[in-house]
Amino acid sequence: MSIVNEFKKFISKGNVVDLAVGVIIGTAFTSIVNALVNDVIMPVISVFTVGIDFTSWKLAVGKGETASVINYGNFIAAVLNFFIIALAIFVFVKGINKLNITGKETLISEKQCPYCKETVNIEASRCPHCTSELK
């Protein structure tokens, strides 16, 4: 098999396409989450922190103009942003999951038989193709 044909086979697999779609949606979702954090959540948090700017917190190691600077305030701000973003995503995913559970339809309606690799209804306890017991 030539490298071109092998590449075509690789790129046309469902996993690669699903991953690409996930990355694109993730990139688009990043701007939504950043807007939520920067424009909605951070102004509320700044009320409690009374306008403290963590990014200005530094520690000079050495003396004079050649002293190295440890910007530990940037690290604190990054950790806070991470937890805020993680909380926002958690709440979003929890809401989506709640909608999915209470709805009539589920997003996933099929699974693959681990033995014969045929598509089977998600609620099936046996594969209709090879009659294997499904977990």
Side-chain angles (χ1 to χ4, degrees), residues 113 115-116 118-120 124-134:
C113 174
Y115 304 102
C116 69
E118 292 290 333
T119 303
V120 181
S125 59
R126 287 201 176 265
C127 176
H129 306 284
C130 69
T131 68
S132 297
E133 191 171 341
L134 304 173

Side-chain angles (χ1 to χ4, degrees), residues 53-85:
D53 182 17
F54 294 109
T55 59
S56 64
W57 293 3
K58 304 173 188 185
L59 176 64
V61 181
K63 295 182 180 180
E65 292 181 20
T66 60
S68 297
V69 177
I70 298 173
N71 294 316
Y72 67 93
N74 287 337
F75 177 73
I76 293 171
V79 169
L80 285 173
N81 281 342
F82 169 77
F83 281 115
I84 293 166
I85 290 170

Side-chain angles (χ1 to χ4, degrees), residues 3-90:
I3 191 134
V4 173
N5 288 337
E6 197 173 334
F7 180 72
K8 283 180 185 178
K9 185 177 177 184
F10 169 77
I11 203 74
S12 65
K13 283 185 178 179
N15 296 349
V16 174
V17 174
D18 292 344
L19 178 62
V21 169
V23 168
I24 291 167
I25 290 174
T27 303
F29 189 66
T30 299
S31 63
I32 294 171
V33 172
N34 285 335
L36 174 69
V37 169
N38 295 331
D39 300 333
V40 177
I41 297 173
M42 286 309 282
V44 173
I45 289 177
S46 68
V47 169
F48 297 109
T49 59
V50 193
I52 296 173
D53 182 17
F54 294 109
T55 59
S56 64
W57 293 3
K58 304 173 188 185
L59 176 64
V61 181
K63 295 182 180 180
E65 292 181 20
T66 60
S68 297
V69 177
I70 298 173
N71 294 316
Y72 67 93
N74 287 337
F75 177 73
I76 293 171
V79 169
L80 285 173
N81 281 342
F82 169 77
F83 281 115
I84 293 166
I85 290 170
L87 178 65
I89 291 173
F90 172 76

Side-chain angles (χ1 to χ4, degrees), residues 95-106:
I96 293 295
N97 286 342
K98 187 169 184 153
L99 288 175
N100 190 23
I101 290 170
T102 58
K104 298 281 185 199
E105 294 182 27
T106 60

